């Protein structure tokens, strides 16, 4: 089983796209995989598809300032690519498994607006139930 290089990915990309049903997922995965393949072909064409390659790409996406959600979506598509390649005997399962362990980017943010405490939420629910009972709905 040879290392996967960019020129051998097109059939596997189609397998990935065939494995998702949502048109939005197909579009997002197609873009993610096309972008990855372009980067891979331009920067690491002879290195093979590996965990190190995907980690380097992850760092590039983070450094480019993409949101955690965008990076994680792209990583999901790449992990699916590795899974399909491993499941179809196009790459060693150990390599595919390694790629599947590339971590997502942690989502960080600040809560905005007003948030209820647990006690406030419970009071609100009781009040709504009482109001519904009184109005007959």
């Amino acid at each position: 089983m040879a290392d996967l290089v960019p020129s051998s990915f097109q059939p596997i990309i189609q397998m990935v796209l065939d494995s998702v049903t949502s048109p939005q997922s197909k579009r997002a995965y197609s873009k993610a995989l096309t972008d990855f393949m372009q980067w891979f072909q331009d920067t690491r064409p002879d290195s093979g598809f590996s965990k190190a390659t995907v980690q380097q790409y992850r760092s590039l996406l983070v450094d480019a300032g993409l949101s955690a959600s965008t990076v994680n979506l792209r990583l999901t598509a790449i992990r699916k690519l590795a899974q399909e390649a491993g499941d179809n005997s196009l790459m060693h399962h150990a390599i595919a498994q390694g790629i599947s362990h590339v971590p997502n980017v942690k989502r960080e943010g600040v809560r905005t607006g007003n948030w209820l405490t647990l006690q406030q939420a419970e009071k609100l629910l009781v009040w709504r139930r009482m109001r519904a009972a009184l109005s007959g709905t």
Side-chain angles (χ1 to χ4, degrees):
M1 197 176 326
D3 283 341
L4 288 175
V5 292
S7 61
S8 65
F9 275 108
Q10 199 52 47
I12 307 166
I13 290 174
Q14 192 57 52
M15 288 179 208
V16 170
L17 298 179
D18 290 342
S19 73
V20 294
T21 56
S22 164
Q24 292 84 2
S25 294
K26 285 182 188 281
R27 188 171 41 255
Y29 279 33
S30 179
K31 168 123 177 70
L33 295 174
T34 300
D35 290 351
F36 174 69
M37 286 301 112
Q38 186 64 52
W39 170 81
F40 191 19
Q41 198 161 17
D42 291 347
T43 60
R44 298 186 64 140
D46 300 322
S47 66
F49 186 37
S50 66
K51 182 178 180 182
T53 301
V54 176
Q55 288 179 148
Q56 183 180 6
Y57 187 66
R58 176 188 182 268
S59 293
L60 175 86
L61 296 175
V62 170
D63 292 346
L66 296 178
S67 72
S69 295
T70 300
V71 173
N72 293 340
L73 174 80
R74 292 180 182 200
L75 289 174
T76 299
I78 294 167
R79 286 188 203 102
K80 183 73 171 163
L81 182 76
Q83 178 188 351
E84 288 294 332
D87 289 349
N88 288 284
S89 300
L90 300 171
M91 74 184 312
H92 291 285
H93 279 285
I95 296 171
Q97 187 71 23
I99 292 169
S100 74
H101 288 130
V102 174
N104 275 338
V105 175
K106 184 177 178 185
R107 294 181 188 191
E108 295 180 2
V110 178
R111 290 183 177 186
T112 59
N114 296 321
W115 290 77
L116 299 177
T117 66
L118 179 59
Q119 289 175 336
Q120 291 170 326
E122 288 171 346
K123 279 183 179 181
L124 179 63
L125 290 172
V126 168
W127 178 81
R128 289 190 65 140
R129 282 190 211 117
M130 288 176 47
R131 185 170 173 217
L134 290 174
S135 66
T137 56

